[in-house]
Amino acid sequence: MNWANSEAFWAMGGYGLYVWGSFGVVAIGLVAEVLMARRASRQIWRNLRDEVSDNQAP
Amino acid sequence: MVLPWFQYAAPQRFYGLAGRLYPFCFVLAALLGAVGLYMGFFVAPTDAQQGEAYRIIFIHVPASWMSMVIYCAMAFWSALGLGFKTRISGLMAQALAPTGALFCFLSLWTGALWGKPMWGTWWVWDARLTSELILLFLYAGYMALTRAIDDPQRRDQAGALVALVGVINVPIIYFSVKWWNTLHQGSSVSMTQAPSMAHTMLWAMLGVTLACWAYAVGMALYRVRGLILQREHDTGWVQALAQSQAKSLNQENPAESGAGA
């Protein structure tokens, strides 16, 4: 085990800002991409449903 | 002879296949990511020269690899699309682009946060960093171009051209640390030599890399489903899908359907 306690873990030997700044932004980026892709998918479905309901009710 | 996987080149088949595969990809990505990060933070030892700051390697290197691999994959699909006129190729390339751009940005970002404590600077115009920045611009250009063209065939072709011309940049990034004197270090892991790092570090990095692969494949499959629906919106099977979904939504929520009609 590398870390004596949780404080040492978050401090990263004085490089906490850089290490967590890296991994944190990666996490934010991945979550943001998933959310954006889901939103895009929902919009596509909405457009498709509107399209078929327009076709059905002339 | 008709190869069995050619049937998946049909958009409807591929839509179904992608729908079955992408959840597995995300589960695999989560598992591999957890194992890789655990090894990277709790098993891999402190670096003798860089202290704990080196742990950025466990995401910086995978992100950088992915940014190059995904661009190569886009070029591959583009070549397939131009050569064989397969219908989903252009869509696959377009589905991969945002994920590649994200990894490219993350590579630059984590590199800056590693460069500051180790080199004393966030950024330097050396060959490795500059060629990676050019890759980000190629991704941005590809996405802007394909989204600006409405005609499907022209969109795919223009995108394929950018992907195929831009892929020249990938070997330039890869070999930049050999061809030029760069502040960026040479590769710690190469295809021809034994890696110059501790085994636990290597396994941690490979774990995260495989997680990123699984994530990228899952993301591309998820996104390509939407692109297929858009492209094929006037075909019978997509219309039928949309109708059945609209019907099931109406049954769940009849008041809304009345208001929306």
Side-chain angles (χ1 to χ4, degrees), chain A residues 1-3 8-9 11-15 17-42 44-49 51-53 55-56, chain B residues 15 37 41-46 50-53 55-56 58-59 98-99 102-103 105-106 109-110 113 116-118 122 215 219 222-223 226-227 229-230 233-234 238-239 241-243 245-246 249:
Chain A
M1 187 60 79
N2 291 316
W3 319 102
F9 178 71
M12 279 290 144
Y15 295 113
L17 177 71
Y18 303 105
V19 173
W20 300 122
S22 295
F23 284 89
V25 169
V26 169
I28 292 169
L30 296 182
V31 169
E33 194 197 5
V34 169
L35 292 180
M36 280 165 70
R38 262 178 56 179
R39 208 173 60 178
S41 166
R42 283 189 188 146
I44 288 166
W45 276 109
R46 208 170 297 134
N47 293 344
L48 280 175
R49 287 198 304 270
E51 200 180 303
V52 292
S53 63
N55 290 348
Q56 276 175 337
Chain B
Y15 177 86
L37 289 177
F41 280 104
F42 294 101
V43 182
T46 304
Q50 302 197 9
E52 309 298 351
R55 292 185 198 277
I56 294 172
F58 298 126
I59 193 62
T99 307
L102 174 68
F103 278 118
F105 164 76
L106 292 175
W109 176 269
T110 56
L113 280 162
K116 185 63 182 170
M118 290 303 130
W122 304 103
Y215 171 84
M219 211 61 227
Y222 180 83
R223 204 178 271 118
L227 295 177
L229 291 178
Q230 270 182 323
H233 68 99
D234 51 3
V238 174
Q239 298 267 319
L241 267 183
Q243 261 160 13
Q245 210 212 31
L249 273 183

Side-chain angles (χ1 to χ4, degrees), chain B residues 108-160:
Chain B
L108 292 165
W109 176 269
T110 56
L113 280 162
W114 198 3
K116 185 63 182 170
M118 290 303 130
W119 301 339
T121 179
W122 304 103
W123 179 261
V124 52
W125 291 100
D126 90 352
R128 173 54 73 81
L129 280 69
T130 307
S131 54
E132 182 77 10
L133 183 65
I134 290 171
L135 183 66
L136 186 62
F137 293 155
L138 282 168
Y139 276 119
Y142 176 91
M143 286 160 67
L145 182 70
T146 49
R147 282 164 197 203
I149 300 173
D150 286 328
D151 179 63
Q153 207 176 354
R154 282 191 57 220
R155 170 194 286 218
D156 289 359
Q157 283 173 353

Side-chain angles (χ1 to χ4, degrees), chain A residues 45-46 49, chain B residues 242-257:
Chain A
W45 276 109
R46 208 170 297 134
R49 287 198 304 270
Chain B
Q243 261 160 13
S244 74
Q245 210 212 31
K247 208 176 282 175
S248 69
L249 273 183
N250 287 351
Q251 279 163 358
E252 278 169 36
N253 207 342
E256 203 177 78
S257 74

Side-chain angles (χ1 to χ4, degrees), chain B residues 40-100:
Chain B
F41 280 104
F42 294 101
V43 182
T46 304
D47 187 75
Q49 288 170 15
Q50 302 197 9
E52 309 298 351
Y54 95 94
R55 292 185 198 277
I56 294 172
I57 202 175
F58 298 126
I59 193 62
H60 175 70
V61 169
S64 310
W65 281 344
M66 291 317 294
S67 70
M68 294 189 277
V69 166
I70 291 176
Y71 204 91
C72 290
M74 285 166 58
F76 165 79
W77 285 110
S78 298
L80 212 62
L82 286 182
F84 296 98
K85 304 256 179 284
T86 41
R87 285 154 79 191
I88 51 158
S89 304
L91 299 180
M92 266 317 277
Q94 285 154 43
L96 282 161
T99 307

